[in-house]
Amino acid sequence: MFKNNKFWTAAVVFLALGACKKEGEQQSQTMQAVPAEVVKLEPRNIPLSFEFSARAQGSKETEVRARVGGILLKRNYVEGSTVEEGNVLFQIDPAPFEVALSQAKAKLAQNEAQLRAAETQWKRIETLFGERVVSEKSRDDAKANLDSLKASTALAQAEVDSAQLNLDYTTVTAPISGITSMEAQSEGSLIAANGLLTHITQLDPIYVIFSASENDILSLTNMADRGLIRNPQNKSEITAKVKMGDGNMYPLDGEINFINPSIDEKTGTIKLRAVFPNPKRRLLPGQFLRLVMEGLTRIDALTLPQEAVMQGASGPFVYRVNAKGLVEAVNVRPGLTTKDNQWIIDEGLNPGDLIVVSGVMKLRPGMKVDPEIVTFGETE
């Protein structure tokens, strides 16, 4: 019995020593430094770039309508062609309006003749009244007749002006310069006053309309208030660029010339407008584009590649290498992104921190690493 107890005691000691040896080997393996690429965070001035969905729109778009009714005699332009302001586009039959003008002129001439006779009569009556030859009533009647004819002559003159205006309206001219659309009424049609004839769209310059989210605007405003955004010296330094549907950049830069003062309640966005020169008509109304806004600078930014930032139960975090060479998880708050798609870290890190940027999925907090510092990113 005693011998058996000694045997089991020796066995337990042997197994315990073996377990300790294995545990020691595991700890030794765990504490072996793992190679890891890290970046040393340094403050940078980062040029900011913002990209938005956008749509082109003519800088001026107008409907050309008939201001008088009649038969449409002629169209003087080719549909889809460029017209200049003042060019004759349509001719409406002027004959009825020429007749109306002649009638108005004849009526005016009649009134003017009567007015001249009334003026002569008034001068005569006024002289005779001074000589006490005619009565006061005769003088008053002559004066009333003169005033009445002055009013009717003025009315006749207004009718002439109106008839002349209607006659002028039979010649329909372009109110702006631009590109014409298809005609809405063909030659020979009887059109009504205010009837639509065509559209004209001004393409040079052209507008590009886009929207920014309320959160983006608030974020920029807050950073500006904190002194993290350097505003340009003048508005012209904020430039707008257009990315075409095929990914190529439009060769001419534009500028933002309007920001809506209110937020769209349905979408939570603010509408903005940029204007671009468009001499070759490469941008067309209704075209879907990407607008890139540049010109603002993020001051003293700490940036990281996106793959260095992971998502955990408590939010975004990164692996930082501490002074002992051990990995530790640090929660961060990413903000904007740079032109080369790197995060700007707003909170959680400090200049000089060593952040793991590759092989992060193989690491765990507490692991020892052999950091190799690499460089990345762009500055102003």
Side-chain angles (χ1 to χ4, degrees), residues 136-186:
E136 186 175 351
K137 181 179 183 304
S138 296
R139 186 196 68 168
D140 292 343
D141 289 343
K143 184 65 169 66
N145 183 54
L146 176 62
D147 291 342
S148 176
L149 285 170
K150 284 182 179 179
S152 61
T153 301
L155 178 60
Q157 180 62 59
E159 290 175 350
V160 170
D161 294 341
S162 177
Q164 181 65 62
L165 194 60
N166 287 335
L167 178 60
D168 294 341
Y169 285 157
T170 61
T171 300
V172 181
T173 59
I176 63 172
S177 301
I179 306 299
T180 57
S181 69
M182 294 178 63
E183 63 178 8
Q185 299 283 351
S186 60

Side-chain angles (χ1 to χ4, degrees), residues 279-357:
K280 296 183 178 180
R281 299 188 216 162
R282 289 187 59 186
L283 301 179
L284 298 174
Q287 189 173 7
F288 286 100
L289 305 163
R290 300 290 295 178
L291 185 132
V292 180
M293 184 174 70
E294 299 177 346
L296 298 175
T297 301
R298 174 69 158 80
I299 300 173
D300 295 336
L302 302 177
T303 60
L304 284 174
Q306 292 192 8
E307 57 268 22
V309 181
M310 296 166 286
Q311 188 69 32
S314 58
F317 71 96
V318 298
Y319 281 151
R320 179 170 61 189
V321 180
N322 62 23
K324 297 180 180 180
L326 301 179
V327 174
E328 57 184 14
V330 181
N331 287 103
V332 296
R333 186 165 71 87
L336 301 172
T337 57
T338 66
K339 290 182 181 180
D340 51 354
N341 294 319
Q342 297 181 37
W343 284 118
I344 296 176
I345 305 301
D346 287 339
E347 293 180 4
L349 300 178
N350 301 304
D353 284 349
L354 298 180
I355 306 301
V356 181
V357 295

Side-chain angles (χ1 to χ4, degrees), residues 109-127:
Q110 184 181 29
N111 276 270
E112 288 175 340
Q114 293 174 350
L115 177 60
R116 286 192 296 270
E119 289 173 341
T120 302
Q121 180 69 12
W122 164 248
K123 290 179 181 179
R124 183 182 300 113
I125 294 294
E126 191 175 28
T127 301

Side-chain angles (χ1 to χ4, degrees), residues 208-286:
V208 176
I209 310 298
F210 63 102
S211 296
S213 72
E214 178 184 2
N215 290 336
D216 287 343
I217 298 298
L218 290 176
S219 177
L220 283 174
T221 302
N222 290 335
M223 284 190 289
D225 292 342
R226 294 162 56 193
L228 300 179
I229 295 289
R230 184 172 68 204
N231 292 318
Q233 297 299 316
N234 54 70
K235 188 177 72 172
S236 63
E237 293 182 29
I238 299 180
T239 61
K241 302 177 184 294
V242 160
K243 185 183 293 184
M244 310 291 283
D246 58 3
N248 292 323
M249 299 299 296
Y250 181 67
L252 302 177
D253 290 348
E255 64 177 14
I256 297 170
N257 67 344
F258 175 77
I259 301 176
N260 200 348
S262 61
I263 297 174
D264 189 318
E265 296 179 358
K266 296 180 179 178
T267 62
T269 59
I270 298 176
K271 183 172 290 186
L272 299 93
R273 184 181 70 198
V275 59
F276 287 82
N278 191 31
K280 296 183 178 180
R281 299 188 216 162
R282 289 187 59 186
L283 301 179
L284 298 174

Side-chain angles (χ1 to χ4, degrees), residues 28-39 318-329 353-373:
S28 176
Q29 291 174 356
T30 301
M31 295 306 293
Q32 287 182 352
V34 178
E37 291 185 347
V38 300
V39 294
V318 298
Y319 281 151
R320 179 170 61 189
V321 180
N322 62 23
K324 297 180 180 180
L326 301 179
V327 174
E328 57 184 14
D353 284 349
L354 298 180
I355 306 301
V356 181
V357 295
S358 67
V360 291
M361 301 306 294
K362 300 178 181 179
L363 301 179
R364 294 293 181 272
M367 292 182 64
K368 187 174 182 61
V369 297
D370 181 15
E372 177 188 353
I373 297 179

